[in-house]
Amino acid sequence: MQARVSDARAPGFWPLAIVFGLFVMFLYGPMLTIFVLSFQGPEGGLTFPLRGLSLHWFHALAAGLGTVDIAAAFRRSLLLGTVVMGFTVLLSLLAGLAFRKRLRGGDALFYVAIASLIMPSIIVSLGIGLQFRLVDTGVKAALSALGAEGTLEGYGSALGLLTSALGAHLTWTLPFGLLIMFAVFNRFDPSYEEAARDLGATPWQTFLHVVLPLIGPSVVGIGMFGFTLSWDEIARTSQAIGDVNTLPLELQGLTSTVTTPAIYALGTLTTVVSFLVMGVTAGLLAWLRKRQKRGRA
Amino acid sequence: MARAVPAWWQAGPFAAVFGLFFLLPLALTLAVSFWNFNEYELIPAFSLRNYLTVFEGCGALGDRGNLCVTLATYASTLQLCALVWACTLALGFTVAYFLAFHVRSPGMQTALFVLCTVPFWTSNVIRMISWVPLLGRNGLVNDFLMGAHLVDHPVEWLLFSRFSVVLAFVHLYTMFMIVPIFNSMMRIDRSLLEAASDAGASAWQALWNVVVPLSRTGILIGSIFVITIVMGDFVTIGVMGGQQIASVGKIIQVQTSYLQFPLAAANAVILLAVVLMIIWGLTQLVDIRREL
């Protein structure tokens, strides 16, 4: 009998490993090029060779790109991402808890969430844009019927960052949140809760002192998902945000007008933000795990 | 003891978001697709005008045998979709297979998996424009080809072409194939492979007769993701196609920018119908509810 676990690689290992290596290069190569090119000297262009090394294009970015207010777009994206993160964590967590109980119509809700996940984004975006424009029409009609001319003139649109755009982003982040909650509670051992109940804990105490610390890392993960998905979202925001723009939307517009490495500098900057969020999340997870371990010891 | 919170109190806010921002907008889109409109306002009515406009001239082939705008756009979008689907599936399956069956230690598996996921967390637009320094007229690829005297003039079709669009899609969305397929593969009982090899199956036979059928749920889920993304896309096709390539999503976007909402709504309803038909067709191949 041949030993099953041998040190020899299975046939096909090396060709597959090479394919994998090429795939990783394919993933990272282009990103690294723009990262490098964003540090071009003032004479540098959109392509290689690298002409000098400087922070010139980051300064150019800070000074502003044409008429576009990058700083404002940055703040808007940050605000929206943070709010989306909060709602995603809260609503997914609550829904996850609800799905553990008998939830009549839970199947339907699950399918709606999945449908939202795989719906072409342009359709969701268009629908929400339409919905809020109809709300505008309705509000304006109501205001003029009431004779509130002053309010009517002051009324802009119901479309906005924290109304329609927030809704559009949540239709994208919440299904991910729910799926993660399912994965979490599939592995969750309910005997911990029974023990807490037997010791006389109220449902709230059980949740706060037993369930939440156990699922804490995953909840943090859902928050990270919520933020990063929102931070990069274009398609669902495009028709649903009204007059203002988020950073990715500005960036998309800039691709056809800006012909300097400043756009790469912007790319490097947004990537750094994504990575900071991931880094903070990873740090938080490590800290939570350490606390869990200490609690057990 | 305090009573537990009723389930719907907890699921309510979650459900409300989807009711308000998903189901209601879809219903409104369907309704508005039958409305009339002029340059200033939408006019509630029931009219098939928008659908007739969308399919104008589609009844007969044009003089030179060319398709009407809508059908031509769908043909082009579907072709793009099929290409991207084939590429992401082949690449995603290979990568998932390598990670699931050839990388032995779970630690290494996680590390390599994370390595593939990291680029996913940077902005899509950044990942798209990061191809410009490589594929452009004076890009690295052309520099190399010119330097090696393989071509006399810079190759023009590398950027702002169907090629660059497919490349960008594969770059952006292969992860959507890898994750579900990897998940399915990790659930395959390894002893089945041993059984296959004991019964004399070659590696290819085991792959084709054991691994592929047992990974079909993952393949299906990944395919649905990729297909729905490509069918509705207008961002990637816009940026990487140099705003030159027609797609269904692009038509909808252009129509909304001219405030032709009823027309855009009609196009969205048709797009949704087409996507649902594709998904229905795929789910006929795999009973997803039994598999989950």
Side-chain angles (χ1 to χ4, degrees):
Chain A
M1 273 286 290
Q2 188 191 344
R4 281 241 74 106
V5 182
S6 65
D7 283 337
R9 291 295 188 180
F13 174 84
W14 288 112
L16 283 167
I18 291 169
V19 170
F20 182 79
L22 289 174
F23 177 68
V24 171
M25 272 168 63
F26 170 68
L27 282 184
Y28 282 83
M31 273 170 52
L32 288 178
T33 55
I34 72 154
F35 184 70
V36 170
L37 286 174
S38 65
F39 292 97
Q40 287 256 30
E43 305 294 309
L46 284 176
T47 52
F48 283 103
L50 201 62
R51 296 203 181 88
L53 207 63
S54 75
L55 291 176
H56 176 83
W57 298 108
F58 288 91
H59 290 300
L61 185 66
L65 292 175
T67 54
V68 179
D69 190 348
I70 292 294
F74 190 88
R75 282 195 299 272
R76 276 195 288 271
S77 275
L78 213 54
L79 171 69
L80 182 58
T82 313
V83 175
V84 167
M85 177 173 76
F87 273 107
T88 307
V89 167
L90 190 66
L91 300 190
S92 312
L93 181 58
L94 286 174
L97 291 172
F99 270 99
R100 298 178 69 206
K101 305 176 186 169
R102 250 174 54 85
L103 187 67
R104 285 161 61 94
D107 273 359
L109 183 58
F110 174 71
Y111 283 121
V112 167
I114 295 302
S116 170
L117 186 63
I118 60 173
M119 179 72 54
S121 299
I122 182 85
I123 298 178
V124 181
S125 181
L126 168 74
I128 294 176
L130 254 178
Q131 179 186 21
F132 278 77
R133 282 192 168 80
L134 292 174
V135 169
D136 281 349
T137 313
V139 170
K140 280 176 186 161
L143 284 176
S144 79
L146 289 170
E149 299 297 335
T151 329
L152 184 60
E153 267 171 40
Y155 182 80
S157 168
L159 282 159
L161 194 66
L162 293 182
T163 52
S164 49
L166 174 64
H169 280 208
L170 288 177
T171 61
W172 177 231
T173 59
L174 286 180
F176 281 104
L178 185 66
L179 288 176
I180 298 176
M181 286 315 298
F182 278 1
V184 170
F185 282 126
N186 269 343
R187 282 177 301 171
F188 191 82
D189 185 352
S191 56
Y192 289 113
E193 285 166 289
E194 280 165 32
R197 260 200 304 278
D198 290 347
L199 291 169
T202 65
W204 175 244
Q205 284 172 328
T206 310
F207 173 73
L208 197 65
H209 299 299
V210 178
V211 179
L212 195 57
L214 283 170
I215 64 171
S218 310
V219 173
V220 173
I222 290 175
M224 185 198 74
F225 253 89
F227 183 89
T228 43
L229 288 173
S230 160
W231 178 250
D232 289 339
E233 171 53 39
I234 295 179
R236 283 186 195 225
T237 333
S238 62
Q239 315 300 318
I241 192 163
D243 301 330
V244 294
N245 271 339
T246 56
L247 196 58
L249 279 171
E250 295 286 16
L251 198 54
Q252 188 211 349
L254 290 172
T255 56
S256 52
T257 55
V258 175
T259 50
T260 64
I263 193 166
Y264 295 154
L266 183 56
T268 303
L269 197 68
T270 59
T271 305
V272 167
V273 171
S274 293
F275 279 73
L276 271 180
V277 171
M278 285 206 307
V280 168
T281 313
L284 204 57
L285 291 181
W287 181 73
L288 282 174
R289 266 198 211 111
K290 219 166 99 184
R291 248 179 49 139
Q292 266 182 19
K293 257 186 204 145
R294 239 197 351 246
R296 258 182 233 136
Chain B
M1 201 178 104
R3 285 192 45 184
V5 193
W8 272 105
W9 279 91
Q10 291 174 324
F14 185 92
V17 167
F18 286 101
L20 211 56
F21 294 106
F22 181 64
L23 295 178
L24 186 59
L26 281 186
L28 285 172
T29 306
L30 183 65
V32 170
S33 73
F34 292 107
W35 286 15
N36 261 323
F37 68 103
N38 60 30
E39 280 143 67
Y40 314 104
E41 56 183 348
L42 307 174
I43 304 155
F46 182 84
S47 123
L48 290 174
R49 190 186 125 187
N50 303 308
Y51 289 93
L52 291 175
T53 310
V54 169
F55 286 112
E56 213 171 350
C58 292
L61 286 177
D63 294 337
R64 291 186 218 111
N66 42 2
L67 297 165
C68 61
V69 177
T70 303
L71 288 185
T73 311
Y74 269 95
S76 145
T77 313
L78 284 169
Q79 192 193 13
L80 203 64
C81 193
L83 265 173
V84 173
W85 177 71
C87 295
T88 51
L89 178 59
L91 191 55
F93 186 89
T94 313
V95 169
Y97 180 75
F98 173 72
L99 288 177
F101 291 107
H102 285 273
V103 178
R104 284 175 186 160
S105 83
M108 196 60 177
Q109 246 169 8
T110 313
L112 293 181
F113 199 80
V114 169
L115 188 71
C116 292
T117 331
V118 166
F120 195 69
W121 296 113
T122 59
S123 163
N124 280 357
V125 176
I126 300 300
R127 292 177 70 193
M128 286 172 213
I129 61 167
S130 67
W131 284 103
V132 172
L134 296 174
L135 300 181
R137 207 164 185 286
N138 303 311
L140 281 184
V141 174
N142 267 325
D143 279 357
F144 171 78
L145 291 176
M146 300 272 282
H149 297 290
L150 288 170
V151 291
D152 298 331
H153 305 288
V155 182
E156 299 279 355
W157 54 261
L158 286 176
L159 194 60
F160 304 139
S161 59
R162 295 179 76 83
F163 169 78
S164 58
V165 172
V166 173
L167 190 72
F169 272 125
V170 172
H171 190 220
L172 291 171
Y173 300 120
T174 300
M175 261 329 271
F176 278 132
M177 281 288 189
I178 298 178
V179 175
I181 296 178
F182 177 75
N183 241 326
S184 291
M185 284 178 174
M186 290 306 282
R187 287 194 212 163
I188 297 176
D189 188 346
R190 295 301 187 267
S191 56
L192 287 176
L193 287 176
E194 286 176 25
S197 106
D198 288 348
S202 71
W204 279 110
Q205 283 172 326
L207 180 70
W208 191 246
N209 295 312
V210 180
V211 178
V212 171
L214 289 175
S215 315
R216 62 182 187 269
T217 314
I219 294 174
L220 179 74
I221 293 173
S223 303
I224 288 177
F225 265 114
V226 170
I227 287 168
T228 50
I229 287 171
V230 179
M231 285 304 289
D233 180 88
F234 62 96
V235 180
T236 314
I237 292 177
V239 172
M240 294 309 286
Q243 313 294 343
Q244 298 296 314
I245 294 171
S247 81
V248 184
K250 196 112 186 84
I251 289 183
I252 297 175
Q253 189 221 0
V254 169
Q255 282 170 344
T256 55
S257 66
Y258 289 113
L259 303 180
Q260 298 171 323
F261 284 102
L263 264 183
N267 266 311
V269 170
I270 296 165
L271 170 64
L272 184 56
V274 170
V275 170
L276 285 179
M277 277 192 301
I278 298 176
I279 294 178
W280 179 81
L282 284 171
T283 47
Q284 293 309 295
L285 302 174
V286 180
D287 184 357
I288 189 152
R289 293 171 76 163
R290 211 183 53 203
E291 305 268 344
L292 277 178

